[in-house]
């Protein structure tokens, strides 16, 4: 049985976290991985309508670039073993914003820390728009 | 030779100029300097006038231990429109969040289209103001809006859609 440990090291190597100094090798966690976790976690919270942004602009951005829809509204800043996250969201009209936003913050913090082992320093939730069910039907 | 010496020499030549072409150049040069100075003063005044007073705010921030929650002006506008449109004979056409430059207080400007000939505008505006304040406190959990100014932009005969 292997008892060698991998350690996630501090540092940002070209948009990815570099891990080395272990006998087994390196673990690199890209910022996009963290953005994906953030996207999935945020969208699973009751009261969150969707990640903010224009579908039209995002579709064009996806065709031109490599970033997935919604990831443009998520920014991840890596500082060593610490990560600061900023996410722009559209929430459901009528929901209690501080409650939903706090749930988003705590869920993102626990999910990112559990999955990546990184320390989440701060989660900034930007409530971009409030959408109701009528807007959903129109779309 | 330093730049200061060069400039002082240039000024000496210009001030002691007797040649007609050099004198013309001198007049043009000083006219240019004076024009530049006047334009700079005007630009400074314009910047001062536009930078003082109130400006449009992009939202407000609520800090907590996990980070911060920023509520955008658009989200606030969505809430105000929802509240306004729930009132009979009222349609909110535009919402502006204004931030005071001096004390950083936030104000709301709500533009309305009102319908119905028998509508009491003052009464309706007061109801709307109170409902908006209550709604912001209830849904955003903050009490940061100092005042709400209601502008009735248009009055239509029938109830606005």
């Amino acid at each position: 049985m292997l008892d060698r440990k991998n350690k996630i090291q501090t540092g940002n190597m070209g948009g990815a976290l570099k891990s080395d100094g272990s006998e087994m090798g390196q673990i690199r966690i890209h910022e996009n991985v963290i953005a994906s976790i953030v996207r999935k976690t945020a969208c699973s919270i009751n009261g969150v309508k969707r990640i903010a942004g224009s579908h039209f602009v995002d579709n064009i951005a996806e065709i031109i670039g490599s970033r997935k829809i919604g990831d443009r509204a998520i920014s991840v800043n890596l500082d060593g073993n610490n990560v600061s996250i900023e996410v722009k969201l559209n929430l459901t009209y009528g929901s209690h914003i501080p409650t939903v936003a706090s749930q988003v913050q705590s869920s993102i913090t626990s999910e990112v820390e559990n999955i990546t082992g990184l320390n989440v320093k701060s989660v900034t939730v930007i409530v971009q728009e409030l959408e109701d069910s009528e807007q959903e039907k129109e779309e | 030779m330093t730049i200061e010496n060069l400039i002082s020499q240039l000024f000496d030549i210009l001030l002691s100029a007797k040649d007609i072409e050099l004198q013309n150049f001198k007049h043009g040069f000083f006219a240019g300097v004076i024009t530049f100075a006047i334009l700079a003063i005007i630009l400074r005044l314009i910047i001062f006038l536009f930078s003082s007073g109130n400006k449009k705010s992009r939202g407000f921030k609520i800090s907590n231990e996990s980070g911060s929650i920023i509520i955008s002006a658009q989200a606030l506008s969505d809430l105000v429109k929802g509240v306004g449109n729930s009132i009979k004979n009222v349609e909110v056409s535009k919402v502006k969040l204004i931030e005071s430059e001096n004390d950083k207080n936030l104000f709301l400007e709500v533009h309305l289209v009102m319908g119905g000939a028998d509508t009491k505008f003052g009464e309706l505006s007061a109801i709307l103001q109170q409902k908006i304040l209550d709604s912001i406190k209830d849904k955003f959990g903050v009490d940061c809006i100092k005042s709400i100014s209601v502008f009735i932009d248009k009055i239509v005969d029938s109830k606005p859609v």
Side-chain angles (χ1 to χ4, degrees), chain B residues 24-130:
Chain B
N24 286 341
F25 175 75
K26 183 178 83 177
H27 293 146
F29 178 78
F30 284 116
V33 168
I34 291 163
T35 311
F36 179 77
I38 291 167
L39 282 173
I41 292 164
I42 292 168
L43 194 69
R44 179 91 182 152
L45 272 172
I46 291 168
I47 291 167
F48 174 76
L49 285 172
F50 278 92
S51 62
S52 62
N54 300 335
K55 64 171 186 179
K56 228 175 158 182
S57 174
R58 295 176 71 185
F60 55 90
K61 194 175 181 179
I62 306 162
S63 294
N64 60 14
E65 67 278 1
S66 309
S68 54
I69 301 161
I70 298 167
I71 296 170
S72 73
Q74 182 59 49
L76 191 68
S77 169
D78 290 339
L79 182 80
V80 172
K81 281 180 180 173
V83 171
N85 297 346
S86 70
I87 299 171
K88 195 188 166 190
N89 290 335
V90 172
E91 191 201 334
V92 177
S93 57
K94 198 162 67 180
V95 180
K96 276 186 198 171
L97 183 64
I98 310 289
E99 187 185 310
S100 166
E101 277 283 318
N102 306 322
D103 46 17
K104 303 286 173 197
N105 281 333
L106 291 170
F107 305 93
L108 264 182
E109 270 186 29
V110 182
H111 293 255
L112 304 176
V113 176
M114 282 195 162
D118 56 340
T119 308
K120 290 175 182 169
F121 301 120
E123 217 172 88
L124 215 54
S125 298
I127 293 168
L128 179 70
Q129 283 169 318
Q130 195 54 52

Side-chain angles (χ1 to χ4, degrees), chain A residues 91-97 100 130-132, chain B residues 79 138-139:
Chain A
L91 303 189
T92 312
Y93 181 86
S95 54
H96 189 253
I97 308 297
V100 175
L130 300 179
E131 289 183 12
D132 52 22
Chain B
L79 182 80
D138 180 37
K139 300 296 178 195

Side-chain angles (χ1 to χ4, degrees), chain A residues 21-36:
Chain A
S22 73
E23 294 153 43
M24 288 180 74
Q26 297 177 339
I27 298 172
R28 285 166 179 258
I29 302 171
H30 200 275
E31 287 161 353
N32 286 352
V33 174
I34 299 166
S36 297

